[in-house]
Amino acid sequence: MLDTLLLAATLFAQQPWARHTIDSSLKGADGVRLKDINGDGLPEIATGWEEGRTVRIYQHPPRNTTRTIAYWPAITVGQVCAAEDAVLVDLNRDGLTDVVSACEEGKPTGVYVHWAPDWTTEAIPEASQTLRWIYTLPFRIKGDARTHILAGGKLDGAVLKLLTPGKQPRDLGSWTGTILQKIGWTMSLFTLDMDGDGDNDILASDRRGPTSGIFWLEAPTWQRHNIGADSEEVMFIDHGDIDGDGLIDIAAAVRPEAIVWFRRLDASGRRWKKQSLPYPPSAGTAKAVAIGDLNGDGIKDIAFTCENASNGKEGVWWFEQSRGGGWRTHRISGPEGIKFDRIELLDIDGDGDLDLITTEERTPLGVVWYENPTRN
């Protein structure tokens, strides 16, 4: 009887997770960013639809309806060329959450603010509309009450730029810009105290060219410190205590097909040890990664998404970490979907385990979440 139960549990663990649709009504869903904007303890989602030229917010429904609701309630906040990224932030400190989007294709490109509650859309002039912008991040500087925006570009002329509001943040013409460094292709930006000195540093991944790799910029001088994967094609990264030693590590999806994680060796942020987890043969190519305890055993696991998951390959997976430090691969998505994007791990249905939210932009899947079966 025990052997039968163990076999059943193993087979169940290898089945894809149930997929639920948040929105599939447009084309080119490109990433998810989370923030609770109405104070109910449930985060909303901002998504840019690249081919759909649309930026939307999705309101998190009550948890007891998330498995059965057809689409999440949505607000279209603006329409801009090739919306590659969208993030939720109260930019003018009026108590309402605005949206900042970045555009990399079409004319014009740029970084845009969609002002709540009337959803007027305006470009920030300091983010040139001739460059290709791909990622933005609200950023606070120690001793400064304003909310700045970090904007990262890609390819020709790309930079990582700090956009700073004037006395009246809604007057976008008064914003100034400071180039922090040249960049090849921005993939990830995080604000994080990397050296324990109490201020916000910048953790980033760069996909292309001589600046590629994983690095952090030290506030307030913005001196660059390399973490690793120099000259490799680093896609999205995440940070978390993977090995349980109390120090924040870095995990990265690195093309063509590996998760590379850097174990932090001390609190300085300058010493790291590299380890690699190769993708299973039936996975696509590397795209995004997220760190979290997916099976509730108190040990951090790693979820990852793929591009090029066609011809029977699969696009969403997770690596289970054992107490001895070994890793086991599990399916999440099955073969549906080709090009997935950023991951967020969140208990969407309130059953006590972490579900996975992502987007798929090549087929009509759109914005989706996968239901973790651990507590079901």
Side-chain angles (χ1 to χ4, degrees), residues 198-324:
D199 53 19
N200 287 326
D201 307 304
I202 300 166
L203 173 64
S205 63
D206 185 351
R207 178 177 177 178
R208 290 280 175 86
T211 57
S212 64
I214 306 167
F215 62 91
W216 62 281
L217 303 180
E218 181 179 355
T221 63
W222 312 121
Q223 178 185 357
R224 174 171 171 149
H225 302 281
N226 288 345
I227 292 172
D230 301 351
S231 301
E232 296 187 65
E233 192 169 0
V234 181
M235 307 297 279
F236 288 108
I237 65 175
D238 195 14
H239 57 86
D241 184 5
I242 297 173
D243 57 0
D245 65 354
L247 299 173
I248 297 299
D249 310 303
I250 309 296
V254 178
R255 283 173 68 101
E257 48 193 24
I259 297 298
V260 176
W261 70 279
F262 292 87
R263 181 187 176 206
R264 184 193 288 255
L265 299 181
D266 61 31
S268 71
R270 292 169 172 80
R271 298 179 62 237
W272 306 84
K273 182 178 179 180
K274 178 181 178 181
Q275 301 187 48
S276 293
L277 298 170
Y279 277 22
S282 53
T285 57
K287 185 57 181 285
V289 63
I291 300 166
D293 179 7
L294 292 175
N295 58 356
D297 64 356
I299 304 171
K300 289 295 194 298
D301 309 299
I302 297 176
F304 62 96
T305 58
C306 307
E307 299 178 327
N308 301 306
S310 56
N311 299 319
K313 291 184 178 292
E314 300 186 11
V316 189
W317 300 75
W318 67 285
F319 283 120
E320 176 189 1
Q321 182 179 190
S322 70
R323 294 196 181 277

Side-chain angles (χ1 to χ4, degrees), residues 114-125:
H114 310 277
W115 297 106
D118 57 354
W119 304 120
T120 302
T121 297
E122 298 179 283
I124 301 178

